[in-house]
Amino acid sequence: MNTEIFIPMFYMVLLTFTVSLIGTIVRFKNVLIDKNHSGSEMMKFSLPSSATEITKQADRNLTNLFEFPILFYAISIVLYVTGKVDSHFVLLAYWFVGLRVAHSFYHIFINGFIGDTPLRALFWLPSLLILIWMWIRFILLI
C-alpha cells in the first residue's frame, strides 16, 4: 500500500512535463511558423508582451506547477517515509492530481472569467482544500 502514493505523484510529474512540452511547442510555433518573434526573444525567461495568449498561459501554468503542488510532493513523501499511506490518502492524491489536470487544461486552453474572477479557480480551490486536508489528516495521525 505504501508505494501506491507514488502513482499520483508520477501523474503530477507527467502533467508538469506535458505543460512544459506544450509551452515549448507553442514557442517554436511562434518562431518557426508564425515568424512573429525571434528565437532569442521567445526563449527568454520573461516572454514579450506580444507573445500569443496560449504561449503566455502555458508559461504561467508551468510556473503554477512549481508553486503549491510542491507541498503535494512533500506530503506524499512524508506519508511514505512515515508509513502512513492508506487508501484514503491515495484517493485524495488522485483527486488532487485530477483537479490539477483540469486546472491546467482550463488555464492553458480556455481561461474564462466571471468579472475579474478566473473560472479555473473552480478547479484550484478544491485542489488546495484537498492538499490542506491531507496535511491536517497526517498531523492528526502522528
Side-chain angles (χ1 to χ4, degrees), residues 47-96:
L47 289 171
S49 59
S50 59
T52 62
E53 199 59 33
I54 193 169
T55 305
K56 292 177 191 174
Q57 296 305 96
D59 193 59
R60 288 183 193 129
N61 191 260
L62 184 61
T63 300
N64 289 165
L65 291 172
F66 286 98
E67 292 172 348
F68 93 90
I70 299 301
L71 297 173
F72 169 73
Y73 296 122
I75 188 64
S76 297
I77 292 167
V78 166
L79 289 168
Y80 174 76
V81 168
T82 59
K84 299 294 183 186
V85 176
D86 62 19
S87 60
H88 187 73
F89 278 122
V90 172
L91 181 63
L92 288 170
Y94 276 112
W95 272 102
F96 175 83

Coordinates of all heavy atoms in Angstrom, one line a residue, residues 47-96:
L47 N 8.6 36.5 -21.2 CA 8.0 36.5 -22.6 C 7.7 37.9 -23.0 O 7.3 38.8 -22.2 CB 6.7 35.7 -22.7 CG 6.9 34.2 -22.6 CD1 5.5 33.5 -22.4 CD2 7.6 33.6 -23.7
P48 N 7.9 38.2 -24.3 CA 7.5 39.5 -24.8 C 6.0 39.7 -24.7 O 5.2 38.8 -24.7 CB 7.9 39.5 -26.3 CG 8.0 38.1 -26.6 CD 8.4 37.3 -25.4
S49 N 5.5 40.9 -24.5 CA 4.1 41.2 -24.3 C 3.3 40.9 -25.5 O 2.1 40.6 -25.5 CB 3.9 42.7 -23.9 OG 4.4 43.5 -24.9
S50 N 4.0 40.8 -26.7 CA 3.3 40.4 -27.9 C 3.2 38.9 -28.2 O 2.6 38.5 -29.2 CB 4.0 41.1 -29.1 OG 5.4 40.6 -29.1
A51 N 3.6 38.1 -27.2 CA 3.5 36.7 -27.4 C 2.1 36.3 -27.4 O 1.2 37.0 -26.8 CB 4.2 36.0 -26.2
T52 N 1.8 35.2 -28.1 CA 0.4 34.7 -28.1 C -0.2 34.4 -26.8 O 0.6 34.0 -25.8 CB 0.2 33.5 -29.1 OG1 1.0 32.4 -28.5 CG2 0.7 33.8 -30.5
E53 N -1.5 34.4 -26.7 CA -2.1 34.2 -25.4 C -1.9 32.7 -24.9 O -1.6 32.5 -23.7 CB -3.6 34.4 -25.5 CG -4.3 34.6 -24.1 CD -3.8 35.8 -23.3 OE1 -3.3 36.8 -23.9 OE2 -3.8 35.7 -22.1
I54 N -1.9 31.8 -25.8 CA -1.6 30.4 -25.4 C -0.2 30.2 -24.9 O 0.1 29.5 -23.9 CB -2.0 29.4 -26.5 CG1 -2.0 28.0 -25.9 CG2 -1.0 29.5 -27.6 CD1 -2.6 26.9 -26.8
T55 N 0.7 31.0 -25.5 CA 2.1 30.9 -25.0 C 2.2 31.5 -23.6 O 2.9 30.8 -22.7 CB 3.0 31.7 -26.0 OG1 2.9 31.2 -27.3 CG2 4.5 31.6 -25.6
K56 N 1.6 32.6 -23.3 CA 1.6 33.2 -22.0 C 0.9 32.3 -21.0 O 1.4 32.1 -19.9 CB 0.9 34.5 -22.0 CG 1.6 35.6 -22.8 CD 0.8 36.9 -22.8 CE 1.3 37.9 -23.8 NZ 0.4 39.0 -23.9
Q57 N -0.2 31.7 -21.4 CA -1.0 30.8 -20.4 C -0.2 29.6 -20.1 O -0.2 29.1 -19.0 CB -2.3 30.5 -21.0 CG -3.2 31.7 -21.2 CD -3.4 32.5 -19.9 OE1 -2.7 33.5 -19.7 NE2 -4.3 32.0 -19.1
A58 N 0.4 28.9 -21.1 CA 1.2 27.7 -20.8 C 2.4 28.1 -19.9 O 2.7 27.3 -19.0 CB 1.7 27.1 -22.2
D59 N 3.0 29.2 -20.1 CA 4.2 29.7 -19.3 C 3.7 29.9 -17.9 O 4.4 29.5 -16.9 CB 4.7 30.9 -19.9 CG 6.1 31.3 -19.3 OD1 7.0 30.5 -19.4 OD2 6.2 32.4 -18.8
R60 N 2.6 30.6 -17.7 CA 2.1 30.9 -16.4 C 1.7 29.6 -15.7 O 1.9 29.4 -14.5 CB 0.9 31.8 -16.5 CG 1.2 33.2 -16.8 CD 0.0 34.1 -16.8 NE 0.3 35.4 -17.4 CZ -0.4 35.9 -18.4 NH1 -1.5 35.4 -18.9 NH2 0.0 37.1 -18.9
N61 N 1.1 28.6 -16.4 CA 0.6 27.4 -15.8 C 1.8 26.6 -15.4 O 1.8 25.9 -14.3 CB -0.3 26.6 -16.8 CG -0.9 25.4 -16.1 OD1 -0.5 24.3 -16.2 ND2 -2.0 25.8 -15.3
L62 N 2.9 26.5 -16.2 CA 4.1 25.8 -15.8 C 4.6 26.4 -14.5 O 5.0 25.7 -13.5 CB 5.1 25.9 -16.9 CG 6.4 25.0 -16.6 CD1 6.1 23.6 -16.4 CD2 7.4 25.2 -17.7
T63 N 4.6 27.7 -14.3 CA 5.0 28.4 -13.1 C 4.2 27.9 -11.9 O 4.6 27.6 -10.9 CB 5.0 29.9 -13.2 OG1 5.9 30.3 -14.3 CG2 5.4 30.6 -12.0
N64 N 2.8 27.8 -12.2 CA 1.9 27.4 -11.1 C 2.2 26.0 -10.6 O 2.1 25.7 -9.5 CB 0.5 27.3 -11.7 CG -0.2 28.7 -11.9 OD1 -1.2 28.8 -12.5 ND2 0.4 29.7 -11.4
L65 N 2.7 25.1 -11.6 CA 3.0 23.7 -11.2 C 4.3 23.6 -10.3 O 4.5 22.5 -9.8 CB 3.1 22.9 -12.4 CG 1.8 22.7 -13.2 CD1 2.1 22.0 -14.5 CD2 0.8 21.9 -12.3
F66 N 5.0 24.7 -10.2 CA 6.1 24.7 -9.3 C 5.9 25.5 -8.0 O 6.8 25.9 -7.3 CB 7.4 25.2 -10.0 CG 7.9 24.2 -11.0 CD1 7.7 24.3 -12.3 CD2 8.7 23.1 -10.5 CE1 8.1 23.3 -13.2 CE2 9.2 22.2 -11.4 CZ 8.9 22.3 -12.7
E67 N 4.6 25.8 -7.8 CA 4.3 26.6 -6.6 C 3.7 25.6 -5.5 O 4.4 24.8 -5.0 CB 3.3 27.7 -6.9 CG 4.1 28.8 -7.8 CD 3.2 29.9 -8.3 OE1 1.9 29.7 -8.3 OE2 3.7 30.9 -8.8
F68 N 2.4 25.7 -5.3 CA 1.9 24.9 -4.2 C 1.8 23.4 -4.4 O 1.8 22.6 -3.5 CB 0.6 25.5 -3.6 CG -0.7 24.9 -4.1 CD1 -1.3 23.8 -3.6 CD2 -1.3 25.6 -5.2 CE1 -2.5 23.4 -4.1 CE2 -2.5 25.1 -5.7 CZ -3.1 24.0 -5.1
P69 N 1.8 22.9 -5.7 CA 1.9 21.4 -5.8 C 3.2 20.8 -5.2 O 3.3 19.6 -4.9 CB 1.9 21.2 -7.4 CG 1.1 22.3 -7.8 CD 1.5 23.5 -7.0
I70 N 4.2 21.7 -4.9 CA 5.4 21.2 -4.2 C 5.0 20.6 -2.9 O 5.6 19.6 -2.4 CB 6.4 22.3 -4.1 CG1 6.9 22.8 -5.4 CG2 7.6 21.9 -3.2 CD1 7.5 21.8 -6.4
L71 N 4.0 21.2 -2.3 CA 3.5 20.7 -1.0 C 2.8 19.3 -1.1 O 2.8 18.5 -0.2 CB 2.5 21.7 -0.3 CG 3.1 23.0 0.0 CD1 2.1 24.0 0.5 CD2 4.2 22.9 1.1
F72 N 2.3 19.0 -2.3 CA 1.7 17.7 -2.6 C 2.9 16.7 -2.7 O 2.7 15.6 -2.1 CB 1.0 17.7 -3.9 CG 0.6 16.4 -4.4 CD1 -0.4 15.6 -3.8 CD2 1.3 15.8 -5.5 CE1 -0.7 14.4 -4.2 CE2 0.9 14.5 -5.9 CZ -0.1 13.8 -5.3
Y73 N 3.9 17.0 -3.3 CA 5.1 16.1 -3.4 C 5.6 15.9 -2.0 O 5.9 14.7 -1.6 CB 6.2 16.6 -4.3 CG 5.8 16.8 -5.7 CD1 5.9 18.0 -6.4 CD2 5.4 15.7 -6.5 CE1 5.6 18.1 -7.7 CE2 5.1 15.8 -7.8 CZ 5.2 17.0 -8.4 OH 4.8 17.1 -9.7
A74 N 5.7 16.9 -1.2 CA 6.2 16.8 0.2 C 5.3 15.9 1.0 O 5.9 15.0 1.7 CB 6.3 18.2 0.8
I75 N 4.0 16.1 1.0 CA 3.2 15.3 1.9 C 3.2 13.8 1.4 O 3.2 12.9 2.2 CB 1.7 15.8 2.0 CG1 0.9 15.0 3.0 CG2 1.0 15.7 0.6 CD1 1.4 15.2 4.4
S76 N 3.3 13.6 0.1 CA 3.3 12.2 -0.4 C 4.6 11.5 0.1 O 4.5 10.4 0.5 CB 3.3 12.2 -2.0 OG 2.1 12.8 -2.4
I77 N 5.7 12.2 0.0 CA 7.0 11.6 0.5 C 6.9 11.4 2.0 O 7.4 10.3 2.5 CB 8.2 12.5 0.1 CG1 8.3 12.4 -1.4 CG2 9.5 12.0 0.8 CD1 9.3 13.4 -2.0
V78 N 6.4 12.4 2.7 CA 6.3 12.3 4.2 C 5.4 11.1 4.6 O 5.7 10.3 5.5 CB 5.8 13.6 4.8 CG1 5.3 13.4 6.3 CG2 6.8 14.7 4.7
L79 N 4.3 10.9 3.9 CA 3.4 9.8 4.1 C 4.1 8.5 3.9 O 4.0 7.5 4.7 CB 2.2 9.9 3.2 CG 1.2 11.0 3.6 CD1 0.1 11.1 2.5 CD2 0.5 10.7 4.9
Y80 N 4.9 8.4 2.8 CA 5.6 7.2 2.5 C 6.7 6.9 3.6 O 6.7 5.7 4.1 CB 6.3 7.3 1.1 CG 7.1 6.1 0.8 CD1 6.6 4.9 0.4 CD2 8.5 6.2 0.9 CE1 7.4 3.8 0.2 CE2 9.3 5.1 0.6 CZ 8.7 3.9 0.3 OH 9.5 2.8 0.0
V81 N 7.5 7.9 3.9 CA 8.6 7.7 4.9 C 8.0 7.3 6.2 O 8.6 6.4 6.9 CB 9.4 8.9 5.0 CG1 10.4 8.9 6.1 CG2 10.2 9.1 3.7
T82 N 6.9 7.8 6.7 CA 6.4 7.5 8.0 C 5.4 6.3 8.0 O 5.0 5.9 9.0 CB 5.6 8.7 8.5 OG1 4.5 9.1 7.6 CG2 6.5 9.9 8.7
G83 N 5.2 5.7 6.8 CA 4.3 4.6 6.7 C 2.9 4.8 7.0 O 2.1 4.0 7.4
K84 N 2.4 6.1 6.7 CA 1.0 6.5 7.0 C 0.2 6.4 5.7 O -1.0 6.8 5.8 CB 1.0 7.9 7.6 CG 1.7 8.0 8.9 CD 1.0 7.2 10.0 CE 1.7 7.5 11.3 NZ 1.1 6.6 12.3
V85 N 0.7 5.9 4.6 CA -0.1 5.9 3.4 C -1.3 4.9 3.6 O -1.1 3.8 4.1 CB 0.7 5.4 2.2 CG1 -0.1 5.2 0.9 CG2 1.9 6.4 1.9
D86 N -2.5 5.3 3.3 CA -3.6 4.4 3.3 C -4.5 4.7 2.1 O -4.2 5.7 1.3 CB -4.4 4.5 4.6 CG -5.0 5.9 4.9 OD1 -5.1 6.7 3.9 OD2 -5.3 6.2 6.1
S87 N -5.5 4.0 1.9 CA -6.4 4.2 0.7 C -7.0 5.6 0.7 O -7.2 6.1 -0.4 CB -7.5 3.1 0.6 OG -8.3 3.1 1.8
H88 N -7.3 6.1 1.8 CA -7.9 7.5 1.9 C -6.9 8.5 1.3 O -7.3 9.4 0.5 CB -8.3 7.8 3.3 CG -9.1 9.1 3.4 ND1 -10.4 9.2 2.9 CD2 -8.7 10.3 3.9 CE1 -10.8 10.5 3.2 NE2 -9.8 11.1 3.7
F89 N -5.6 8.4 1.8 CA -4.6 9.4 1.2 C -4.4 9.2 -0.3 O -4.2 10.1 -1.0 CB -3.3 9.2 2.0 CG -3.2 9.9 3.3 CD1 -3.0 9.2 4.5 CD2 -3.4 11.3 3.4 CE1 -2.9 9.9 5.7 CE2 -3.3 12.0 4.6 CZ -3.0 11.2 5.7
V90 N -4.4 7.9 -0.7 CA -4.2 7.7 -2.1 C -5.4 8.3 -2.9 O -5.2 8.9 -4.0 CB -4.0 6.2 -2.4 CG1 -4.0 5.9 -3.9 CG2 -2.7 5.7 -1.7
L91 N -6.6 8.1 -2.5 CA -7.8 8.7 -3.1 C -7.7 10.2 -3.2 O -7.9 10.8 -4.2 CB -9.0 8.2 -2.4 CG -10.3 8.7 -3.0 CD1 -10.5 8.2 -4.5 CD2 -11.5 8.3 -2.2
L92 N -7.3 10.8 -2.1 CA -7.1 12.2 -2.0 C -6.0 12.7 -3.0 O -6.2 13.7 -3.7 CB -6.8 12.7 -0.6 CG -7.9 12.7 0.4 CD1 -7.3 12.9 1.8 CD2 -9.0 13.6 0.1
A93 N -5.0 11.9 -3.1 CA -3.9 12.3 -4.1 C -4.4 12.2 -5.5 O -4.1 13.1 -6.3 CB -2.7 11.3 -3.9
Y94 N -5.2 11.2 -5.8 CA -5.8 11.1 -7.2 C -6.7 12.3 -7.5 O -6.7 12.8 -8.6 CB -6.5 9.8 -7.4 CG -5.6 8.7 -7.8 CD1 -5.3 7.6 -7.0 CD2 -4.9 8.7 -9.1 CE1 -4.5 6.6 -7.3 CE2 -4.1 7.6 -9.4 CZ -3.9 6.6 -8.6 OH -3.0 5.6 -9.0
W95 N -7.5 12.6 -6.5 CA -8.4 13.8 -6.7 C -7.6 15.1 -6.9 O -7.9 15.9 -7.7 CB -9.3 13.9 -5.5 CG -10.6 13.1 -5.6 CD1 -10.9 11.9 -5.0 CD2 -11.7 13.4 -6.4 NE1 -12.1 11.5 -5.4 CE2 -12.6 12.4 -6.3 CE3 -12.0 14.5 -7.3 CZ2 -13.9 12.4 -7.0 CZ3 -13.3 14.5 -7.9 CH2 -14.1 13.4 -7.8
F96 N -6.5 15.2 -6.1 CA -5.7 16.4 -6.2 C -5.1 16.5 -7.7 O -5.2 17.5 -8.3 CB -4.6 16.4 -5.2 CG -3.6 17.5 -5.4 CD1 -3.8 18.8 -4.8 CD2 -2.4 17.4 -6.1 CE1 -3.0 19.8 -5.0 CE2 -1.5 18.4 -6.3 CZ -1.8 19.6 -5.7

